[in-house]
Structures are given as structure tokens and as C-alpha cells.
Amino acid sequence: MSSQQLRITLAGRELVTEAGTTAGAALDGGPGVIAARVNGVPRDLAHVLADGDEVEPIVNSSDEGHAILRHSTAHVLAQAVQDLQDRFPQARLGIGPPVENGFYYDFDVSRPFLPDDLKAIEARMREIVKQGQLFSRRVVTDAEARDELKSEPYKLELIGLKGSPAADAEESVEVGGPELTIYDNLDPKTGAVLWKDLCRGPHVPSTRAIPAFKLLRTGGAYWRGSEKNPQLQRIYGTAWETRAAQDDYLTMLAEAERRDHRRLGAELDLFSFPNEIGSGLPVFHPKGGIIRRVMEDYSRRRHEEAGYEFVNTPHLTKAELFETSGHLGFYKESMFPPMELEGAEYYAKPMNCPMHVLIYRSRGRSYRELPLRLFEFGTVYRFEKSGVVHGLTRARGFTQDDSHIFCTPEQLPGELASLLDFVVGLLRDFGLTDFEAELSTRPDKYVGTIAEWVAAEEALQHALDASGLPYTVAEGEGAFYAPKIDVHVKDAIGRRWQLSTLQVDFQEPGRFGIEYQAADGTRQRPYMIHRALFGSIERFFGILLEHYAGAFPPWLAPVQVTGIPISDAHVPYLQKVADMLREQGIRVTVDDSDDRMQKKIRTAQQQKVPYMLIAGDADVAAEAVSFRYRDGSQKNGVPVAEAVAEIVTAVRDRVQV
């Protein structure tokens, strides 16, 4: 092979090519290929290959391709805003990362964006896309970046975070690599620089590789998520590989809006977020409290049947506990500030696990007690940035259905397999059926030994294989102290939610020095498994509310039956029917208001009550009811005993109607 040639591996095939060949030229994959993975690292198609490189295509329909496509569209959005100087003079740039199903960009502008502004911005974006501007990567020094971006104060702040753990995932799209890079948008004919942005990349080769996009909405967002910082104006958008894919997403988005748990929570009088209490801190109203109690009671019963022991722990603790556990070192930014009391610092707890370890450590333990499964509905507090707080699904105070299992090394594989089976079985009982899992392995920064991590990862993989669940491996995505399994579920409209987590932890037992006496009399260290099933009661409540669009199955519905009299004379009859249902544990009301019968039916339907029992003269004479379902269908002349039996059976069997 001559010095003018190089050997590369292209999508698993070895081949010889000319020196200076770019990833794009080597792949030659058509318009769907928008970037390359070179030696496992995403690169622009313009990246020049070296001898021995392994090259794979990144297509715009893949998850990685979506992120690149959307981040490139965010750049086009930012360019369009700064191009429209008559509307937005002196617009300054924040950040513009890809997010799930879309992207956003934050701007420091003199006024909030209006609907007409979005139309003008989108029109300018289409002009930029049509021009086919080229994305061109350039490595710069810190000093060069500061000089070029001296009029962009937020970019200057980010330059100081280059490669720093202080940069979060969204900020790292600009400064997350070992070097600073700027992407120039070039005129395809002249090569002139039309716009530029600090960015890690990669990007699509040109703006023409953005087939479909749409701006969705605007909102305020504090710079870097802190209320102490200036409030910027955020524009959200979405981008897809085809117009058809985008149309499908927008249809799903409209359905998601109809199902939004925050709107349904208000309409159905389930919960609220009073300003007087604070952002991300929900209160549950009586109807929401019923649903929550039923969820918790059923979970408690299933846990009791599975051999769990119930514990309770306080809401706050001295700082020393989280110093011992390591959370103050690794997690302090996500904790509420401490309070001072009698010369000691106290923290609202962000998790329950250290307290469960103390319960284990409260006395000597024998191998005969293991596995020891501790369970708690424990309320925790985490200082989520204001920009990410979202109803019940991202709150600052929430209750975890938290379990910690202490076991011997020999018990670990079987216990994990049993746990995973229990988790999926309980989620199925709530009407969720479409599962997949993700195994997250050792990250770059971790505690413990390689041998411990290998043993934990093998045990988790054994549990997944035994479960039969489809799963993927997320290399390097584990927590600093443990690998984990995350169970994901798809809801009724195909959205993917991360729910249950199983983590094997070798670190906390060592930090707290917990032991058990083995069969041979020696003192051994137990393994510890962290397990959250719902994740949090609040978040799971919100997911179920959206999954069912508020129409909970009868066993979860706050009001399971509404009696509707045709006239006031029929109220006593329906009250007797209601008493029969209450004796069977059914939640029932009789609408004895002054409203007309049709309005009473409409009210019950709006409140998504599963069953309506209507009674008039003929029903009273026949000791029957007219049985009306939530979907509007109706059966007349149903004997009362038969109606009661149908309702009780549906609730007992947890079926949807």
C-alpha cells in the first residue's frame, strides 16, 4: 500500500482508499446519510479519515441522526432570529440543544416572541434551508473564541466551562469536548461566512439536509436554569427526516396536548400547584387523593405478598449522613440548600437509600435474614431547575416507592431476576403492556473496582435474559456508584417513558460498613439493590392520567358509579342501589342536583365516570336500572343485582371499560 493510500474499515468491510478521503466520500450513502461515526465518535461527513479508521454511517432516521438534524435546525433558527434585526435588534444567543423529539434555542431579546414573530422566523429559516448553506467546523483556541464571540456574553460564559463537569448535558453540546470549535454557515457559491456559532458538532453537511421542521411554541427560561440569572426567551421546534414523519409527530403532539396531565388534573379536580407553596410542589385534591391511595394500597399489598418489610424514614437529616453516602460530593447541586439547627446542618433528603442502610445497620444481621427487602413510600426533595419542572412528571417534591434489598453474593442473580419479574408484573396490573429495558454500564467516572462492576453488570444482564424483555445496552451510562436496568414503557399513543430502575450497589455497603454473619461464622459484606418501581407516585400518576386520557379503569377511578335519577322521585331508589354498591366497596354518588337528566349524564361523562345507573318509573317497578357506559352505549332494564355484579367484577379484575 502506497503512502498516498490508507486502509479503513467501512461498516464492517475493510477497504483501501486515497489519503485525504472524507467520511462522506467513503460512505457515499445518499441523502439519508448526514454524518459518520468514526472510531465510535460522531463526525461531520467532511471529516478527513486517517489510516485504520473504522467508519459507519449515521442516517437521519436514527436516534443519533435525529439529534444531529435537530441541532442543525436549532442553528438555522438562531441565524434566522439574528438575521431579522428589524424585529430583534441586538439579539444575543443562549444555547440551542436537541431534545427529545425536537430542539430549542434561548435568546436574550428586548421582548417576548409573539405568534407573528414565529411566522417570520420560520419563513426566514426556509430561505436559509433553500440556500443550502454549508456547515463548516473550525477548531479555535479559548482566546480566539473569546475574540470572535465578544458580543455574545452567554457564549463567553460557556467558554469558561469547556470540558467542565459544571456544564450540563444541554450546555455540553457547545463546550463538551476537549477543544473548542466554531461552526460557520457558509455561502455555497462564494464560501463567505454568513453566520457562526460555538458548537461541538457534528452537523448535517448543508441546510438542504433539513427536510422538515416546524416551530412550535415559545416560553421563558432562566439562563442555565437558575432563577438568579437573567430570563431568556426560548423558542421550541421539531425537525424530522421526512414531512410524513413530522406530520405523524404533530398528530401525536395534538393528541398529547389533549391528554396533558396538567390540564386533565385541573378539569377533573385531581391536583394543583399553588403559587403559595412553590414550583414543582403539588397538592392532591380529594379525587386525586382517592386515586393515589388506591395505587399505594394495591402496591403495598403486592409488596407484602412478595416478602417486603415496610419502613418509614424522616424527611430531613444531618449533613453527615449524605457525606458518608457520598451524595454531598456527587449530588449537592440537585439538593435543596441546608438549614441550620442547634449547630448542625440539616438537608431535606433527596433519596431514601442512606436511611434504609441505617435501618439494616441498627443491629447485627445473619445470612438467615437475607435477602432483606425494605420498602417505603418515602417523600424526597430535589432542586430541579425551573426550566425542567413539568407538572407531576418532573417535580421538586415527590414520593418514591423505594425499595432496598440486601442479599448475599450468591443470591444476587436470582434476586435480580425475581425483582424484574415483580416490577413488570405490577406495571401490567396498571394496564401497561409494552415494555423494553436498557442496561447502563460503567461510566468513565466511577467508584469501586472493575471486578465489582463486571459482577454487577453480569448479574443484571442475567436478569434481563431471564425476563425475556427486549433490551439495549447503554455503554457508560450507569450511575457513578452502580450499573442499572431502566424499564421503559410505551403509553397509549406510543410515547416512551422511563419508569422502574434496578441498581446493584457495591459502594454504599462499604461506605457504611454494613455486614452479615455468614454460615461459616465470618463477617461478610452484603450486596445492595436499589429498586424504584413507579419511580415516583406523582410521576406515575401523571403518566397513567395521560395514558388513559383521564378515563381511568374502574378500579382506579375516583368515582366509579354515578346514579342519575330521571326525576327527584327516583332519588331514594338510586340511594338504595348506591348503598348496595358501597357494601361491596364501590365508590358511588347519586346526582340529586336540580340539573336536567341530560346535563347530569353530560357531567358524568365529562368527569369520565366509568358507569352511570339511570332510573325512572319503569326501572323502579322492575327493580332494575338503565346501565350507561362511559362511551355512551347503554343497556336498559338491567336487574339491580346483575348491574352490581358486573361493576364489582370489573373492579375486582381491574379491567378497562
Side-chain angles (χ1 to χ4, degrees), residues 401-415:
D401 59 331
D402 220 357
S403 179
H404 295 91
I405 296 92
F406 303 87
C407 65
T408 69
E410 297 77 20
Q411 292 169 334
L412 181 64
E415 190 66 15

PDB file of all heavy atoms in Angstrom, residues 401-415:
ATOM      1  N   ASP A 401     -41.636   5.088  45.493  1.00  0.00           N
ATOM      2  CA  ASP A 401     -41.937   3.747  46.011  1.00  0.00           C
ATOM      3  C   ASP A 401     -40.601   3.015  46.038  1.00  0.00           C
ATOM      4  O   ASP A 401     -40.243   2.287  45.138  1.00  0.00           O
ATOM      5  CB  ASP A 401     -42.992   3.040  45.161  1.00  0.00           C
ATOM      6  CG  ASP A 401     -42.572   2.870  43.714  1.00  0.00           C
ATOM      7  OD1 ASP A 401     -41.790   3.695  43.208  1.00  0.00           O
ATOM      8  OD2 ASP A 401     -43.024   1.899  43.081  1.00  0.00           O
ATOM      9  N   ASP A 402     -39.895   3.244  47.113  1.00  0.00           N
ATOM     10  CA  ASP A 402     -38.468   2.935  47.163  1.00  0.00           C
ATOM     11  C   ASP A 402     -38.227   1.635  47.913  1.00  0.00           C
ATOM     12  O   ASP A 402     -38.762   1.430  49.008  1.00  0.00           O
ATOM     13  CB  ASP A 402     -37.744   4.076  47.882  1.00  0.00           C
ATOM     14  CG  ASP A 402     -36.425   4.415  47.236  1.00  0.00           C
ATOM     15  OD1 ASP A 402     -36.046   3.739  46.266  1.00  0.00           O
ATOM     16  OD2 ASP A 402     -35.773   5.365  47.699  1.00  0.00           O
ATOM     17  N   SER A 403     -37.407   0.788  47.332  1.00  0.00           N
ATOM     18  CA  SER A 403     -37.052  -0.462  47.986  1.00  0.00           C
ATOM     19  C   SER A 403     -35.550  -0.668  47.909  1.00  0.00           C
ATOM     20  O   SER A 403     -34.915  -0.321  46.911  1.00  0.00           O
ATOM     21  CB  SER A 403     -37.774  -1.633  47.305  1.00  0.00           C
ATOM     22  OG  SER A 403     -37.416  -2.843  47.920  1.00  0.00           O
ATOM     23  N   HIS A 404     -35.000  -1.215  48.979  1.00  0.00           N
ATOM     24  CA  HIS A 404     -33.588  -1.587  49.001  1.00  0.00           C
ATOM     25  C   HIS A 404     -33.491  -3.011  49.518  1.00  0.00           C
ATOM     26  O   HIS A 404     -34.033  -3.337  50.584  1.00  0.00           O
ATOM     27  CB  HIS A 404     -32.780  -0.614  49.853  1.00  0.00           C
ATOM     28  CG  HIS A 404     -32.769   0.758  49.258  1.00  0.00           C
ATOM     29  ND1 HIS A 404     -33.700   1.709  49.586  1.00  0.00           N
ATOM     30  CD2 HIS A 404     -31.984   1.309  48.294  1.00  0.00           C
ATOM     31  CE1 HIS A 404     -33.477   2.804  48.871  1.00  0.00           C
ATOM     32  NE2 HIS A 404     -32.453   2.587  48.084  1.00  0.00           N
ATOM     33  N   ILE A 405     -32.825  -3.827  48.729  1.00  0.00           N
ATOM     34  CA  ILE A 405     -32.731  -5.256  49.024  1.00  0.00           C
ATOM     35  C   ILE A 405     -31.276  -5.565  49.360  1.00  0.00           C
ATOM     36  O   ILE A 405     -30.360  -5.198  48.611  1.00  0.00           O
ATOM     37  CB  ILE A 405     -33.195  -6.108  47.823  1.00  0.00           C
ATOM     38  CG1 ILE A 405     -34.680  -5.865  47.540  1.00  0.00           C
ATOM     39  CG2 ILE A 405     -32.947  -7.589  48.093  1.00  0.00           C
ATOM     40  CD1 ILE A 405     -34.958  -4.778  46.541  1.00  0.00           C
ATOM     41  N   PHE A 406     -31.077  -6.217  50.498  1.00  0.00           N
ATOM     42  CA  PHE A 406     -29.742  -6.619  50.933  1.00  0.00           C
ATOM     43  C   PHE A 406     -29.661  -8.136  50.801  1.00  0.00           C
ATOM     44  O   PHE A 406     -30.520  -8.867  51.316  1.00  0.00           O
ATOM     45  CB  PHE A 406     -29.503  -6.184  52.376  1.00  0.00           C
ATOM     46  CG  PHE A 406     -29.664  -4.701  52.587  1.00  0.00           C
ATOM     47  CD1 PHE A 406     -30.899  -4.149  52.873  1.00  0.00           C
ATOM     48  CD2 PHE A 406     -28.574  -3.852  52.473  1.00  0.00           C
ATOM     49  CE1 PHE A 406     -31.055  -2.782  53.059  1.00  0.00           C
ATOM     50  CE2 PHE A 406     -28.717  -2.475  52.643  1.00  0.00           C
ATOM     51  CZ  PHE A 406     -29.964  -1.939  52.947  1.00  0.00           C
ATOM     52  N   CYS A 407     -28.622  -8.613  50.096  1.00  0.00           N
ATOM     53  CA  CYS A 407     -28.534 -10.050  49.826  1.00  0.00           C
ATOM     54  C   CYS A 407     -27.087 -10.497  49.796  1.00  0.00           C
ATOM     55  O   CYS A 407     -26.155  -9.677  49.763  1.00  0.00           O
ATOM     56  CB  CYS A 407     -29.231 -10.384  48.511  1.00  0.00           C
ATOM     57  SG  CYS A 407     -28.460  -9.652  47.053  1.00  0.00           S
ATOM     58  N   THR A 408     -26.885 -11.811  49.793  1.00  0.00           N
ATOM     59  CA  THR A 408     -25.543 -12.374  49.665  1.00  0.00           C
ATOM     60  C   THR A 408     -25.131 -12.375  48.194  1.00  0.00           C
ATOM     61  O   THR A 408     -25.998 -12.299  47.304  1.00  0.00           O
ATOM     62  CB  THR A 408     -25.502 -13.812  50.198  1.00  0.00           C
ATOM     63  OG1 THR A 408     -26.263 -14.642  49.311  1.00  0.00           O
ATOM     64  CG2 THR A 408     -26.091 -13.897  51.606  1.00  0.00           C
ATOM     65  N   PRO A 409     -23.836 -12.480  47.906  1.00  0.00           N
ATOM     66  CA  PRO A 409     -23.408 -12.546  46.501  1.00  0.00           C
ATOM     67  C   PRO A 409     -24.068 -13.692  45.736  1.00  0.00           C
ATOM     68  O   PRO A 409     -24.419 -13.538  44.568  1.00  0.00           O
ATOM     69  CB  PRO A 409     -21.893 -12.743  46.607  1.00  0.00           C
ATOM     70  CG  PRO A 409     -21.519 -12.121  47.917  1.00  0.00           C
ATOM     71  CD  PRO A 409     -22.684 -12.411  48.826  1.00  0.00           C
ATOM     72  N   GLU A 410     -24.273 -14.820  46.409  1.00  0.00           N
ATOM     73  CA  GLU A 410     -24.873 -15.967  45.737  1.00  0.00           C
ATOM     74  C   GLU A 410     -26.337 -15.716  45.390  1.00  0.00           C
ATOM     75  O   GLU A 410     -26.861 -16.279  44.422  1.00  0.00           O
ATOM     76  CB  GLU A 410     -24.772 -17.213  46.629  1.00  0.00           C
ATOM     77  CG  GLU A 410     -23.362 -17.680  46.946  1.00  0.00           C
ATOM     78  CD  GLU A 410     -22.690 -16.834  48.017  1.00  0.00           C
ATOM     79  OE1 GLU A 410     -23.412 -16.145  48.787  1.00  0.00           O
ATOM     80  OE2 GLU A 410     -21.444 -16.851  48.086  1.00  0.00           O
ATOM     81  N   GLN A 411     -26.997 -14.895  46.170  1.00  0.00           N
ATOM     82  CA  GLN A 411     -28.418 -14.615  45.948  1.00  0.00           C
ATOM     83  C   GLN A 411     -28.658 -13.572  44.864  1.00  0.00           C
ATOM     84  O   GLN A 411     -29.789 -13.444  44.373  1.00  0.00           O
ATOM     85  CB  GLN A 411     -29.065 -14.126  47.259  1.00  0.00           C
ATOM     86  CG  GLN A 411     -29.152 -15.176  48.340  1.00  0.00           C
ATOM     87  CD  GLN A 411     -29.549 -14.567  49.689  1.00  0.00           C
ATOM     88  OE1 GLN A 411     -29.307 -13.377  49.945  1.00  0.00           O
ATOM     89  NE2 GLN A 411     -30.135 -15.376  50.558  1.00  0.00           N
ATOM     90  N   LEU A 412     -27.616 -12.818  44.497  1.00  0.00           N
ATOM     91  CA  LEU A 412     -27.807 -11.650  43.637  1.00  0.00           C
ATOM     92  C   LEU A 412     -28.467 -11.977  42.299  1.00  0.00           C
ATOM     93  O   LEU A 412     -29.481 -11.350  41.943  1.00  0.00           O
ATOM     94  CB  LEU A 412     -26.469 -10.936  43.411  1.00  0.00           C
ATOM     95  CG  LEU A 412     -26.537  -9.672  42.547  1.00  0.00           C
ATOM     96  CD1 LEU A 412     -27.375  -8.593  43.225  1.00  0.00           C
ATOM     97  CD2 LEU A 412     -25.128  -9.145  42.271  1.00  0.00           C
ATOM     98  N   PRO A 413     -27.979 -12.932  41.491  1.00  0.00           N
ATOM     99  CA  PRO A 413     -28.617 -13.163  40.178  1.00  0.00           C
ATOM    100  C   PRO A 413     -30.091 -13.543  40.289  1.00  0.00           C
ATOM    101  O   PRO A 413     -30.940 -13.009  39.570  1.00  0.00           O
ATOM    102  CB  PRO A 413     -27.777 -14.299  39.573  1.00  0.00           C
ATOM    103  CG  PRO A 413     -26.455 -14.204  40.268  1.00  0.00           C
ATOM    104  CD  PRO A 413     -26.772 -13.774  41.658  1.00  0.00           C
ATOM    105  N   GLY A 414     -30.407 -14.467  41.197  1.00  0.00           N
ATOM    106  CA  GLY A 414     -31.798 -14.886  41.339  1.00  0.00           C
ATOM    107  C   GLY A 414     -32.683 -13.773  41.867  1.00  0.00           C
ATOM    108  O   GLY A 414     -33.841 -13.640  41.448  1.00  0.00           O
ATOM    109  N   GLU A 415     -32.157 -12.956  42.785  1.00  0.00           N
ATOM    110  CA  GLU A 415     -32.947 -11.864  43.344  1.00  0.00           C
ATOM    111  C   GLU A 415     -33.251 -10.823  42.276  1.00  0.00           C
ATOM    112  O   GLU A 415     -34.365 -10.304  42.192  1.00  0.00           O
ATOM    113  CB  GLU A 415     -32.194 -11.223  44.519  1.00  0.00           C
ATOM    114  CG  GLU A 415     -33.008 -10.252  45.333  1.00  0.00           C
ATOM    115  CD  GLU A 415     -34.157 -10.908  46.092  1.00  0.00           C
ATOM    116  OE1 GLU A 415     -34.167 -12.144  46.226  1.00  0.00           O
ATOM    117  OE2 GLU A 415     -35.060 -10.176  46.533  1.00  0.00           O
TER     118      GLU A 415
END
